[in-house]
Amino acid sequence: MELLRPSSADEAAGALGNGNVALAGGTELVPLIREGLVRAENLVQLSEAVPRGVDGTRIGAGTTLAELEVDPQIPQALREACSLAASPQLRSMGTIGGNLLQATRCWYWRLGFDCWLHGGERCFAKDGAHREHAIFGNERCASAHPSDVAAALLALGATVRTTQRELPLADLYRLPAEDDRSTTTLGSDELILELDVPQPEASTYLKAMDRRKWAFPLVGVAAARANGEIRIALAGVAPIPWTLDGPAALDDATPLPGTAYKVEIARALVRRALAHVNDSPHSS
Ligand SMILES: Cc1cc2nc3c(=O)[nH]c(=O)nc-3n(C[C@H](O)[C@H](O)[C@H](O)COP(=O)(O)OP(=O)(O)OC[C@H]3O[C@@H](n4cnc5c(N)ncnc54)[C@H](O)[C@@H]3O)c2cc1C
Ligand code: SF4
């Protein structure tokens, strides 16, 4: 395996595909390669190829979570989501681009079971241990998307610029289907370059987790108010980051026996998040 070091986005995108895989901070990709869950012929290092840093509402895909959590230009929901994710060491290596593309933490998937998401016939979590799993979109795969950051960005109405297109963040994700089991719409030779995150009037991110630090979201709730409208998005509740049309939409949840408790947590966090964004005169 070689480490390729392209100096531009075009060169990097040109090097992808045919088994060549993009490497940002490596906090997700390296363990997946080590466990044999991702096969890579060569690694394409992105550090000189994708933008890094914050410029007004624009965030380079190579910006680390540690940089974002302390930047006063960044809306509160995104700063909170970054600061509640992973550990300080991981946040100083992990980029926002890589965070959006992280794979499920479902242990059946991580342990290499031949489950439905890996192309098999069965979802082992549905019959087995599924306390951390989904309450929405879980008909075929009940995994729960682990990105705090994606939920915050969805609520904030972020858009994504790639080497090929510009799209609302919601369109970066898709529920896996019988004929295509991936959870993103990103092509194998496509790179995320930057995000555009409009400034809200008020926003927040609240997270329920097993420990107070360094734990994936059992349920994460982001809310943002912009132009008088409020958007809500959830982490840890569906195979992809989940937009919630309003608190009443939680009545449509389809929890598994072991995840019903998540609906009640989501109700409480949504109530608190809405109170925050409604009460904040202008806190972004
Ligand atoms: C122990 C642990 C705990 C964690 N806890 C949390 C948590 O609580 N909440 C949370 O939100 N996250 C959590 N994370 C995830 C962490 O934030 C991500 O691992 C990190 O942000 C990934 O960024 P990276 O730069 O290291 O990505 P990499 O590992 O380099 O890449 C990840 C994936 O993204 C692709 N990729 C990276 N950048 C681009 C790009 N610009 N364009 C196209 N493809 C790209 C890579 O090819 C790879 O498939 C945790 C991770 C670990 C290991
Ligand atoms: S929840 Fe998804 S990833 Fe986990 S076992 Fe079921 S199909 Fe596989």
Side-chain angles (χ1 to χ4, degrees):
M1 183 190 283
E2 273 186 56
L3 182 64
L4 309 176
R5 295 191 170 99
S7 56
S8 72
D10 283 347
E11 199 189 326
L16 290 175
N18 291 326
N20 292 355
V21 178
L23 173 77
T27 59
E28 162 80 341
L29 183 62
V30 172
L32 291 178
I33 292 174
R34 203 173 46 217
E35 298 301 325
L37 293 164
V38 168
R39 293 169 69 94
E41 295 293 327
N42 298 302
L43 295 178
V44 181
Q45 188 175 302
L46 297 184
S47 51
E48 301 299 316
V50 305
R52 176 173 182 174
V54 180
D55 180 9
T57 60
R58 294 186 172 265
I59 301 173
T63 313
T64 65
L65 304 191
E67 288 164 341
L68 292 170
E69 69 181 289
V70 295
D71 191 320
Q73 300 175 81
I74 297 298
Q76 181 177 334
L78 183 53
R79 268 186 284 125
E80 287 172 340
C82 290
S83 69
L84 289 168
S87 64
Q89 291 88 341
L90 287 161
R91 297 199 295 273
S92 71
M93 290 291 290
T95 63
I96 190 165
N99 182 285
L100 297 179
L101 297 171
Q102 59 183 297
T104 176
R105 305 307 298 192
C106 172
W107 285 113
Y108 296 99
W109 190 91
R110 292 257 162 186
L111 291 170
F113 278 58
D114 181 29
C115 74
W116 186 82
L117 198 63
H118 270 312
E121 299 297 321
R122 275 181 68 188
C123 170
F124 293 98
K126 284 191 175 184
D127 300 328
H130 57 242
R131 177 181 167 275
E132 292 88 7
H133 284 65
I135 57 173
F136 286 108
N138 49 6
E139 197 183 326
R140 304 307 305 264
C141 165
S143 64
H145 200 277
S147 173
D148 296 301
V149 173
L153 288 169
L154 265 188
L156 290 162
T159 52
V160 181
R161 187 166 70 83
T162 77
T163 40
Q164 298 177 15
R165 58 200 167 130
E166 205 159 317
L167 64 164
L169 179 69
D171 294 350
L172 184 66
Y173 297 104
R174 60 190 293 284
L175 280 174
E178 200 56 47
D179 58 344
D180 182 350
R181 302 194 184 177
S182 66
T183 52
T184 83
T185 61
L186 203 75
S188 60
D189 59 350
E190 187 177 11
L191 284 173
I192 298 180
L193 296 179
E194 64 178 12
L195 295 136
D196 189 55
V197 186
Q199 272 295 337
E201 290 142 18
S203 71
T204 191
Y205 183 72
L206 304 173
K207 177 174 178 178
M209 45 188 160
D210 279 331
R211 294 183 296 267
R212 288 191 60 156
K213 295 214 180 292
W214 197 7
F216 287 97
L218 291 171
V219 179
V221 173
R225 190 183 80 224
N227 304 319
E229 271 184 40
I230 293 178
R231 255 193 307 259
I232 306 169
L234 310 185
V237 301
I240 56 175
W242 200 252
T243 302
L244 197 72
D245 286 339
L250 284 167
D251 295 342
D252 301 329
T254 53
L256 305 172
T259 60
Y261 78 101
K262 285 196 175 190
V263 182
E264 298 317 311
I265 292 180
R267 278 192 212 290
L269 293 187
V270 166
R271 210 166 32 239
R272 278 188 229 164
L274 289 178
H276 176 91
V277 294
N278 280 320
D279 291 349
S280 302
H282 198 100
S283 65
S284 91

